[in-house]
């Protein structure tokens, strides 16, 4: 069974954002595998442990994204592909990224039974890449999965739908996007990290792919990035607990008018 | 320079969702006098005609096929394509909901379109549509445009203000049928298990009562649920509470988890980690209840009570019961 995991390197979620010249600064920022993509890596490893096969991890991103791929290899993926986009970062949108993934799959004749992507990235948060890629590959997809069971070509899935759970039957080949609750990603072990250094990682430039610039040119453009107005601390209520509660209700009702 | 706008109505369990009316408000702005078309998928759609008309629809397409009552990706993608080919819109809008998130990217890929997801505001500047959306779960925002071609966006519930309904408006309706071959449907829904504690969806809730590590156990969420019931609120949680196993991950609010923007957010026993704050700091009014006076949550809250949530929350429930009519 061949598993393909598409992942993105993102800021750690505990990072504060700083704007420099209208751009989000990555000075001194801690980078991680996008947490949703980490569920995808973990699930691929668990499925491989059950059914055998090979796991390829793939990312489109700057040079530093190799680190995220190495982490996935250290967790247990077998090989990695990096499409390097250092000069293009700002100009690529979801249309571009999905076209680039599609192109590298074609160029490398990568075969897959199951593709796993995080349901969304914690930075861009558009949740588009998985479904877009499935459409380009003309395969079905199921998003926000919290459980998956494979039996030959048959797939049974539990999917989170705004708090409720939907049970789904489908078949491979398939793309799934992974939701929180699917699994608890493992930490790489020291031997895992050592091994990962020797696992194959192929690098591509955008020019290496069978694409014209028109094919992956962004369909959307950024005008401005801004930080929301800073919240300032409000009032700490005083008095006995009873008095504080009474005062809170009064304020919510008359001052904030949210009741 | 008007634009013909197509809105796909969002329904849950057969009922129209508020975000559809919010999409209609955006649609009217963008249309600049051109037609606003709304497509309603699934049976029993006729009942939505009046409200859609009052909120700005000019033409309503009813695709009352029973296979559209339960959402499946393939059926919806094909149905949307059919509607889009029929209407030939200049702009497509829908809610950033379970359905919108799932169909819209496939539609965008099918037609090779740009898509701006999860917009919190849509404005016109010299006839150009400016889409504003959060990034990093609201730690920052970005303004984007689609320079040419069909405009396409999904709208985050609870953010775009409704225009007042106008009962004197009129709209035309049209029934369209669309046959689906079974073999085109590659995923099959076998069962839906209701787990959500109340019928109120977190992302659309007007009030959210949320618990953190300070709630201490699964049992500890009970007083929060009681408060939520009185307020007609949804219950949420921080990552700390979810990781500790006090509640389901479906309730998690934060940069991982859901982003919420209710009118009122009541944080109980939540310290205010950066990743949690990203998911709720755009709430209009924030109340924090925490034992620790130095908890960072007080830095972003409008009203704070330093105290034990197990004392404060039941008292608050009692006070509110006196004030609010029981529903």
């Amino acid at each position: 069974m061949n598993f393909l995991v598409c992942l993105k390197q993102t800021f750690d979620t505990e990072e504060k954002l700083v704007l420099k010249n209208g751009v989000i600064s990555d000075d001194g920022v801690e980078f991680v595998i996008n947490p949703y993509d980490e569920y995808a890596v973990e699930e691929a490893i668990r499925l491989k442990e059950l059914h055998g096969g090979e796991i390829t991890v793939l990312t489109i991103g700057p040079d530093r994204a190799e680190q995220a791929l190495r982490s996935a290899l250290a967790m247990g993926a077998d090989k990695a592909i990096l499409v390097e986009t250092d000069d293009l970062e700002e100009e690529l949108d979801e249309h571009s990224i999905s076209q680039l993934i599609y192109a590298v799959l074609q160029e490398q004749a990568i075969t897959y039974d199951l593709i796993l992507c995080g349901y969304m990235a914690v930075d861009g948060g558009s949740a588009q890449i998985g479904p877009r890629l499935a459409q380009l590959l003309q395969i079905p997809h199921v998003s926000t999965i919290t459980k998956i069971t494979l039996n030959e070509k048959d797939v049974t899935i539990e999917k989170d739908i705004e708090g409720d759970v939907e049970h789904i039957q489908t078949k491979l080949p398939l793309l799934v996007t992974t939701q929180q609750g699917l699994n608890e990603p493992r930490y790489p072990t020291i031997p895992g990290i050592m091994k990962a250094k020797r696992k194959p990682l192929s690098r591509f430039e955008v020019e290496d792919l069978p694409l014209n610039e028109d094919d992956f040119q962004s369909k959307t453009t950024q005008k401005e990035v801004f930080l929301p107005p800073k919240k300032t601390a409000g009032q700490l209520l005083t008095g006995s607990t009873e008095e504080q509660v009474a005062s809170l209700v009064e304020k919510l009702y008359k001052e904030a008018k949210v009741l | 320079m008007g634009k013909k706008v197509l809105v796909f109505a969002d329904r849950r369990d057969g009922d129209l969702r508020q975000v559809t009316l919010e999409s209609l408000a955006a649609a009217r702005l963008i249309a600049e006098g051109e037609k606003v078309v709304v497509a309603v998928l699934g049976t029993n759609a006729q009942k939505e005609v009046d409200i859609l008309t009052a909120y700005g629809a000019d033409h309503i397409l009813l695709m009352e096929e029973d296979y559209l009552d339960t959402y499946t990706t393939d059926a919806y993608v094909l149905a949307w394509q059919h509607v889009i080919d029929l209407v030939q819109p200049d702009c497509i809008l829908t809610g950033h909901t379970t359905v919108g998130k799932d169909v819209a990217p496939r539609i965008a890929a099918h037609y090779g379109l740009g898509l701006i997801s999860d917009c919190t505001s849509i404005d016109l500047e010299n006839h150009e549509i400016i889409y504003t959306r959060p990034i990093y779960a609201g730690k920052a925002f970005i303004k984007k445009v689609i320079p040419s071609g069909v405009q396409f966006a999904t709208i985050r519930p609870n953010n775009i203000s409704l225009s007042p309904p106008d009962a004197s408006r009129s709209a035309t309706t049209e029934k369209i049928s669309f046959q689906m071959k079974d073999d085109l449907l590659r995923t099959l829904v076998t069962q839906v298990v209701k787990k959500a504690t109340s019928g109120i969806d977190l992302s659309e809730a007007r009030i959210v009562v949320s618990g953190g590590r300070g709630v201490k156990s699964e049992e500890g969420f009970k007083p929060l649920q009681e408060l939520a019931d009185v307020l007609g609120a949804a219950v949420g949680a921080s990552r700390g509470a979810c990781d500790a196993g006090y509640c389901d991950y479906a309730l998690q609010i934060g940069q991982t988890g859901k982003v919420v923007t209710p009118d009122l957010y009541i944080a109980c026993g939540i310290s205010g980690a950066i990743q949690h704050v990203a998911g709720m700091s755009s709430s209009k009014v924030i109340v924090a209840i925490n034992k620790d006076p130095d908890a960072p949550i007080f830095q972003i809250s409008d009203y704070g009570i330093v105290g034990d949530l197990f004392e404060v929350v039941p008292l608050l429930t009692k006070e509110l019961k006196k004030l609010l009519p029981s529903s």
Side-chain angles (χ1 to χ4, degrees):
Chain A
M1 185 108 34
N2 289 316
F3 303 97
L4 171 70
V5 180
C6 303
L7 62 82
K8 182 179 189 182
Q9 188 186 43
T10 57
F11 285 22
D12 188 285
T13 53
E14 283 303 318
E15 293 288 346
K16 278 189 180 148
L17 298 189
V18 177
L19 275 191
K20 259 191 197 160
N21 306 321
V23 182
I24 293 169
S25 163
D26 60 5
D27 283 355
V29 162
E30 188 94 23
F31 287 96
V32 295
I33 298 178
N34 169 41
Y36 289 96
D37 299 340
E38 223 179 355
Y39 303 130
V41 176
E42 175 64 32
E43 199 61 21
I45 296 168
R46 292 186 189 198
L47 290 170
K48 180 190 158 177
E49 285 166 356
L50 284 172
H51 305 282
E54 190 179 58
I55 302 168
T56 305
V57 286
L58 179 157
T59 195
I60 313 284
D63 185 51
R64 61 168 157 74
E66 177 175 338
Q67 214 38 56
L69 292 174
R70 292 286 174 201
S71 302
L73 292 172
M75 286 170 76
D78 299 297
K79 53 182 196 176
I81 297 172
L82 169 62
V83 179
E84 211 190 298
T85 56
D86 265 315
D87 310 330
L88 295 166
E89 281 304 285
E90 291 293 302
E91 294 162 38
L92 299 176
D93 69 359
E94 297 86 352
H95 166 76
S96 322
I97 301 286
S98 50
Q99 289 290 348
L100 290 173
I101 299 175
Y102 180 69
V104 75
L105 296 184
Q106 307 263 307
E107 167 69 22
Q108 288 297 296
I110 291 170
T111 56
Y112 50 82
D113 299 289
L114 182 67
I115 302 178
L116 304 99
C117 306
Y119 140 63
M120 64 168 192
V122 294
D123 49 7
S126 71
Q128 289 189 25
I129 303 298
R132 272 188 184 264
L133 180 61
Q135 183 72 19
L136 295 176
L137 293 169
Q138 299 184 311
I139 59 172
H141 84 270
V142 180
S143 41
T144 60
I145 69 161
T146 53
K147 192 175 177 190
I148 180 166
T149 316
L150 303 181
N151 185 359
E152 302 288 322
K153 290 275 169 199
D154 292 322
V155 189
T156 315
I157 286 174
E158 290 182 17
K159 168 189 160 91
D160 163 52
I161 41 166
E162 297 174 1
D164 294 333
V165 182
E166 201 167 71
H167 293 240
I168 290 174
Q169 286 284 351
T170 184
K171 282 186 190 308
L172 299 175
L174 175 73
L175 184 148
V176 293
T177 73
T178 51
Q179 171 69 305
Q180 223 172 8
L182 174 65
N183 56 42
E184 191 70 47
R186 70 195 64 194
Y187 289 102
T189 59
I190 301 289
I193 294 168
M194 299 308 290
K195 258 200 224 160
K197 290 182 183 159
R198 294 187 305 272
K199 286 182 179 173
L201 187 147
S202 356
R203 278 174 174 266
F204 298 90
E205 304 276 331
V206 171
E207 295 76 40
D208 301 333
L209 302 177
L211 277 174
N212 298 319
E213 204 176 318
D214 284 355
D215 296 333
F216 69 93
Q217 201 167 42
S218 179
K219 300 278 181 186
T220 61
T221 19
Q222 305 188 6
K223 288 220 118 171
E224 188 193 349
V225 176
F226 60 98
L227 300 180
K230 246 199 156 125
K231 274 254 175 192
T232 45
Q235 349 175 357
L236 273 187
L237 304 174
T238 51
S240 69
T241 308
E242 285 79 6
E243 284 162 4
Q244 290 187 53
V245 167
S247 141
L248 174 64
V249 171
E250 163 105 10
K251 282 174 190 297
L252 290 179
Y253 196 62
K254 292 200 173 136
E255 198 173 274
K257 298 193 169 77
V258 285
L259 293 180
Chain B
M1 276 299 289
K3 289 192 172 61
K4 188 189 218 179
V5 185
L6 170 62
V7 173
F8 282 94
D10 258 289
R11 304 172 85 195
R12 190 176 198 195
D13 300 330
D15 291 323
L16 197 66
R17 299 177 73 148
Q18 161 103 357
V19 69
T20 300
L21 306 181
E22 294 159 6
S23 303
L24 269 172
R28 284 249 64 97
L29 175 80
I30 292 169
E32 295 190 87
E34 254 283 2
K35 250 190 190 174
V36 174
V37 182
V38 182
V40 190
L41 277 53
T43 57
N44 231 339
Q46 187 74 41
K47 69 180 164 88
E48 317 297 2
V49 165
D50 288 346
I51 183 163
L52 291 171
T53 308
Y55 279 92
D58 297 306
H59 188 61
I60 301 168
L61 298 169
L62 305 172
M63 197 185 260
E64 297 191 281
E65 305 288 357
D66 51 15
Y67 64 83
L68 295 171
D69 286 346
T70 300
Y71 173 78
T72 56
T73 308
D74 289 331
Y76 268 64
V77 167
L78 294 169
W80 275 42
Q81 285 173 16
H82 182 72
V83 172
I84 290 166
D85 293 342
L86 195 76
V87 175
Q88 302 276 331
D90 303 308
C91 174
I92 307 167
L93 297 177
T94 197
H96 194 66
T97 58
T98 298
V99 173
K101 275 183 238 184
D102 204 56
V103 192
R106 284 196 84 119
I107 293 293
H110 176 76
Y111 292 101
L113 300 178
L115 166 64
I116 303 183
S117 303
D118 203 17
C119 298
T120 48
S121 107
I122 292 183
D123 303 284
L124 271 188
E125 277 173 27
N126 300 321
H127 307 288
E128 187 178 41
I129 308 171
I130 316 281
Y131 304 89
T132 306
R133 62 180 304 269
I135 50 176
Y136 297 85
K139 287 179 184 171
F141 286 80
I142 188 167
K143 289 189 178 189
K144 295 190 86 173
V145 296
I146 301 178
S148 63
V150 174
Q151 305 288 309
F152 194 4
T154 62
I155 288 172
R156 172 180 294 197
N158 261 359
N159 282 268
I160 293 175
S161 337
L162 298 184
S163 20
D166 177 356
S168 68
R169 294 190 80 257
S170 63
T172 46
T173 60
E174 182 183 348
K175 290 195 183 218
I176 45 177
S177 65
F178 183 56
Q179 300 305 316
M180 187 77 61
K181 288 194 210 95
D182 278 351
D183 58 344
L184 293 176
L185 307 182
R186 297 168 293 184
T187 59
L188 176 74
V189 177
T190 52
Q191 194 189 357
V192 179
V193 183
K194 295 272 169 200
K195 264 176 80 184
T197 38
S198 63
I200 302 153
D201 180 57
L202 255 185
S203 59
E204 281 183 43
R206 219 178 53 74
I207 303 179
V208 173
V209 178
S210 191
R213 274 194 189 276
V215 172
K216 287 187 186 139
S217 66
E218 198 178 337
E219 190 74 0
F221 266 92
K222 267 207 178 138
L224 273 59
Q225 184 64 57
E226 283 162 18
L227 175 59
D229 289 345
V230 172
L231 288 167
V235 172
S238 71
R239 182 163 80 186
C242 296
D243 282 348
Y246 305 161
C247 60
D248 200 276
Y249 277 113
L251 301 188
Q252 184 170 324
I253 292 167
Q255 197 169 358
T256 47
K258 297 203 166 62
V259 176
V260 296
T261 47
D263 291 345
L264 174 59
Y265 189 90
I266 306 180
C268 311
I270 291 178
S271 63
I274 291 170
Q275 93 94 27
H276 179 73
V277 168
M280 48 64 79
S281 60
S282 304
S283 305
K284 286 182 196 93
V285 175
I286 298 170
V287 172
I289 301 165
N290 202 301
K291 264 191 198 166
D292 174 9
D294 297 323
I297 190 81
F298 288 121
Q299 296 305 313
I300 58 144
S301 53
D302 300 280
Y303 305 108
I305 294 183
V306 178
D308 182 355
L309 74 94
F310 294 106
E311 268 179 59
V312 177
V313 171
L315 267 175
L316 186 55
T317 307
K318 208 172 108 193
E319 279 295 309
L320 287 166
K321 260 189 189 160
K322 287 187 216 157
L323 189 74
L324 301 168
S326 57
S327 48

